[in-house]
Amino acid sequence: MADVSQATYDVLRAHGLTTIFGNPGSNELPFLAGMPDDFRYVLGLHEGAVLAMADGFAQARGGSAFVNLHAAAGTGNAMGPLTNTVYAHSPLIITAGQQVRSTIGQEVMLANVDAPMLPKPLVKWSSEPACAQDVPRTISQAIHIANLPAKGPVYVSVPYDDWGQEAPAETRHLVERTTAPANSLSADQLETIAEALDRARHPVLVLGSEVDAEHANDEAVRLADALNAPVWVAPLPSRCPFPTRHRSFRGVLPAAVQEVTDALAGHDLILVVGAAVFRYHQFVPGDYLPEGTRLIHLTSDPSEAARAPMGDAWVTGVRDAVTRLADAVTPGRRPALPSLPDIAPHRTSSEAIHPEHLFALLRENAPDDVVYVKESTSTIGAFWSQMDLSLPNSYFFPASGGLGWGLPAAVGAQLALPDRRVVGLIGDGSANYGITALWTAAHYHIPTIIVILKNGTYGVLRWFARVLEAGETPGLDVPGIDFAAIASGYGVTATSVRTPTAFVAAFEKALAGDSPVVIEVETAFSEP
Ligand code: TPP
């Protein structure tokens, strides 16, 4: 008869969850001691890094990932990067060890008091099984909930005396069962939307990260081509849903109400696919839509549909909807769009490498299928102005802006995509929050290249202080950090460069090798 631990590992295996990202404590040891040989454990040195690494892994592999944290303190450390996981709709199965059941009420050391409540405002579902025998089923439930639309992280706390108990025989059914979303536009709904697109004089597409997560990029191109419509990316994207050099590509929408409306002026129909409507940031009041413009919203997330302040929403599988719409609309009703002009020349700076220059060098020297994980906040505009991205899974950014995600996520993404090279583009402010992931990269020989953009400041906050007319603010500069020395301390080869030539040489060397590398680049601060 299997025990609860074996039965749970059987459930995890059935879902392909054979990698455990974790940082252990005493509560977790009985579970980990039973880990079968076909599983691997990836140790992170801080739970924020553990969670972000698992998220990068999950997003890059297009599936879920399993996380094991230490009780309340470990869960707490992971909450920052968890905010990104929520808005990336990343199905992480997060577990945490709990003290022995009979002692939780006494609040013995490491009891996770009211464990399911701790991550509750963020996760999609949170639970502590009512008894040991229900642990394998609860883990199974967690996996299914995480993966059904809208996908998202879930949390299960398990008392450590549960693992050695006998599992009920019925748990064998768990490894066989499946759940699948079946939400799809009806024929009538499809016709309504296709007709609206056909009738529109100047339709525009606004695509979100879900299009890339569903690998519907090619289908989005087919739809844009059939409509001859321009394509914007929804504000603050965490992924790149459309080829950036396609003639329809217009860039990323700004994250302020009036600026979005201004950018979409002149269009009588806006079709938003796989994004929130809209995720604004800086508060610039204004009109939500240009006068007389209709907005149609397709998303798999009922909450995204319900909370939008405008538009008609259909909750549907995004890939299915885009594919069928591309077939249903009447092609060639509007003139073909001209090709995009060449990429604008990059700006330069005399004292340090300008971020645009750095991104131009990356465009020229990185392999075509490179994957960028970016957490450098003042350089977002510079990045999009210089990049030529065409493949799915080419770009990841923290989906709620919570720092400490990018560096570990780059390590996790590299683990999931061994045939593509992952380059982390990390600000010198951001790098500190997830820096311990360098140890994991070194220890497991994960060949991520981390480029640290060292401008000595929390650059985007300088810009924001001006937008808010906040005046002089303390705490915005981070001078005097030697990332090459820190990286060496964690066992990662590192170099520090100041010139474009030196950067290209260091980058080529990193690409030629098969181990992790940190390249610290002195960059000029420029406003986003
Ligand atoms: N703490 C967390 C966990 N997340 C945050 N988003 C912030 C603080 C606030 N914050 C947003 S951007 C930023 C900070 C501190 C500065 C980032 O600086 P850096 O990585 O150097 O990028 P730069 O803006 O200079 O390009």
Side-chain angles (χ1 to χ4, degrees):
M1 194 56 82
D3 64 15
V4 168
S5 164
Q6 287 166 288
T8 301
Y9 278 115
D10 288 345
V11 170
L12 296 178
R13 184 185 294 107
H15 290 276
L17 293 168
T18 54
T19 301
I20 300 175
F21 293 90
N23 184 272
S26 48
N27 288 357
E28 292 72 38
L29 298 178
F31 169 64
L32 296 176
M35 191 178 94
D37 288 345
D38 59 327
F39 279 62
R40 67 175 164 177
Y41 187 81
V42 178
L43 176 63
L45 302 187
H46 182 280
E47 289 84 351
V50 170
L51 192 110
M53 221 178 294
D55 192 349
F57 180 77
Q59 290 197 49
R61 83 195 273 253
S64 44
F66 185 80
V67 177
N68 187 240
L69 303 176
H70 181 46
T75 304
N77 279 350
M79 295 271 276
L82 179 60
T83 61
N84 301 310
T85 305
V86 174
Y87 288 97
H89 292 305
S90 193
L92 292 195
I93 323 303
I94 306 163
T95 54
Q98 171 66 294
Q99 258 289 9
V100 167
R101 277 187 187 271
S102 59
T103 69
I104 300 168
Q106 300 167 39
E107 300 191 14
V108 295
M109 185 81 163
L110 299 175
N112 190 351
V113 181
D114 212 349
M117 190 57 90
L118 183 58
K120 201 144 202 176
L122 293 177
V123 296
K124 191 176 167 189
W125 184 73
S126 186
S127 177
E128 187 171 85
C131 64
Q133 285 64 38
D134 201 32
V135 169
R137 193 208 56 79
T138 305
I139 297 284
S140 164
Q141 180 179 0
I143 296 168
H144 290 295
I145 290 179
N147 283 289
L148 285 166
K151 293 179 186 179
V154 294
Y155 183 84
V156 183
S157 160
V158 186
Y160 77 75
D161 54 331
D162 284 4
W163 298 112
Q165 299 205 34
E166 200 171 290
E170 293 73 32
T171 56
R172 72 181 188 282
H173 298 299
L174 296 172
V175 297
E176 284 160 13
R177 69 185 303 267
T178 60
T179 56
N183 56 336
S184 176
L185 295 172
S186 71
D188 282 354
Q189 290 169 328
L190 185 78
E191 198 182 310
T192 304
I193 300 168
E195 260 181 32
L197 285 165
D198 276 351
R199 269 203 315 273
R201 277 172 296 108
H202 299 298
V204 59
L205 302 185
V206 178
L207 304 181
S209 304
E210 197 180 353
V211 172
D212 188 55
E214 294 285 313
H215 290 198
N217 316 48
D218 288 348
E219 303 304 330
V221 168
R222 280 207 309 124
L223 180 60
D225 285 347
L227 296 171
N228 280 321
V231 172
W232 286 89
V233 177
L236 300 169
S238 62
R239 305 176 66 128
C240 179
F242 199 78
T244 61
R245 298 299 301 155
H246 185 282
R247 62 199 160 88
S248 285
F249 186 73
R250 294 292 176 273
V252 175
L253 284 174
V257 171
Q258 190 60 50
E259 290 173 29
V260 171
T261 298
D262 291 346
L264 299 178
H267 294 289
D268 51 345
L269 178 64
I270 302 167
L271 177 66
V272 183
V273 185
V277 170
F278 287 112
R279 203 146 149 77
Y280 306 112
H281 185 194
Q282 60 273 26
F283 182 66
V284 182
D287 296 324
Y288 280 130
L289 283 176
E291 193 58 39
T293 299
R294 181 175 185 206
L295 187 146
I296 293 179
H297 183 194
L298 304 178
T299 171
S300 73
D301 184 348
S303 162
E304 242 168 44
R307 69 178 187 260
M310 70 282 201
D312 301 319
W314 278 264
V315 179
T316 175
V318 155
R319 186 184 169 81
D320 179 81
V322 175
T323 306
R324 289 167 63 212
L325 273 177
D327 293 332
V329 296
T330 313
R333 290 177 76 106
R334 295 166 204 89
L337 297 166
S339 301
L340 294 185
D342 290 342
I343 293 176
H346 59 77
R347 285 178 282 168
T348 55
S349 148
S350 50
E351 70 280 11
I353 301 179
H354 193 285
E356 281 184 8
H357 193 173
L358 179 69
F359 299 140
L361 294 173
L362 285 163
R363 186 188 70 235
E364 287 157 9
N365 292 284
D368 289 344
D369 65 350
V370 68
V371 177
Y372 292 112
V373 179
K374 190 164 181 293
E375 193 172 280
S376 154
T377 40
S378 66
T379 63
I380 293 175
F383 180 82
W384 290 107
S385 77
Q386 293 298 318
M387 277 301 145
D388 179 358
L389 305 176
S390 57
L391 295 174
N393 265 357
S394 290
Y395 173 79
F396 298 93
F397 187 88
S400 80
L403 304 181
W405 181 90
L407 201 159
V411 176
Q414 184 69 81
L415 204 55
L417 299 171
D419 298 333
R420 291 171 74 176
R421 207 65 189 269
V422 177
V423 175
L425 301 172
I426 314 292
D428 55 351
S430 302
N432 297 290
Y433 302 83
I435 196 79
T436 59
L438 289 178
W439 179 87
T440 305
H443 185 71
Y444 297 99
H445 310 291
I446 303 167
T448 326
I449 301 170
I450 301 292
V451 177
I452 295 185
L453 288 82
K454 185 168 164 173
N455 61 10
T457 185
Y458 287 162
V460 79
L461 298 186
R462 296 210 155 276
W463 167 77
F464 225 102
R466 196 172 55 71
V467 172
L468 297 177
E469 297 175 4
E472 244 337 278
T473 314
L476 294 192
D477 288 331
V478 286
I481 305 176
D482 183 344
F483 288 100
I486 293 170
S488 303
Y490 278 120
V492 173
T493 306
T495 179
S496 188
V497 300
R498 304 189 61 157
T499 65
T501 320
F503 172 74
V504 171
F507 188 62
E508 282 178 347
K509 193 168 164 207
L511 284 175
D514 60 1
S515 49
V517 172
V518 164
I519 307 174
E520 179 193 77
V521 190
E522 282 199 31
T523 49
F525 167 60
S526 76
E527 292 229 334

